[in-house]
Amino acid sequence: LFNTTFSPLTEIVDHPSALQSDAAALRRFIPHLLRRGVRIAGRGNWMLSAAHTIDDADRTVEAFAGALEAFREEEGKRA
């Protein structure tokens, strides 16, 4: 299980620091992943299992990189 979160902190180490996550930013990020064929849970959770291949993982990493780049561009326009 992996989790994606947006936070002003450099590390999430406990529940209080997790509460500082920016849920609105995550909601804006998720559509960028969906457009690239990657679905994650609304709370930012990712699942990886033995059914996934190395190619699946590689495509997911590439999709994430593209989604993050598009998200950053979009966020820059919001500022």
Side-chain angles (χ1 to χ4, degrees), residues 39-56:
R39 184 187 177 280
I40 66 171
R43 293 203 272 172
N45 293 334
W46 302 64
M47 313 304 178
L48 182 65
S49 76
H52 292 100
T53 66
I54 296 294
D55 287 341
D56 292 333

Side-chain angles (χ1 to χ4, degrees), residues 5 7 9 11-22:
T5 187
S7 173
L9 304 175
E11 286 186 337
I12 305 289
V13 295
D14 55 18
H15 186 68
S17 60
L19 292 175
Q20 294 187 46
S21 297
D22 185 345

Side-chain angles (χ1 to χ4, degrees), residues 26-75:
L26 180 61
R27 285 192 301 273
R28 293 190 303 273
F29 177 67
I30 289 174
H32 293 285
L33 288 172
L34 290 171
R35 284 192 284 276
R36 289 161 178 81
V38 176
R39 184 187 177 280
I40 66 171
R43 293 203 272 172
N45 293 334
W46 302 64
M47 313 304 178
L48 182 65
S49 76
H52 292 100
T53 66
I54 296 294
D55 287 341
D56 292 333
D58 288 344
R59 283 193 307 273
T60 301
V61 168
E62 288 175 20
F64 184 89
L68 187 57
E69 182 178 338
F71 173 77
R72 284 177 171 161
E73 283 181 25
E74 185 176 274
E75 292 296 293

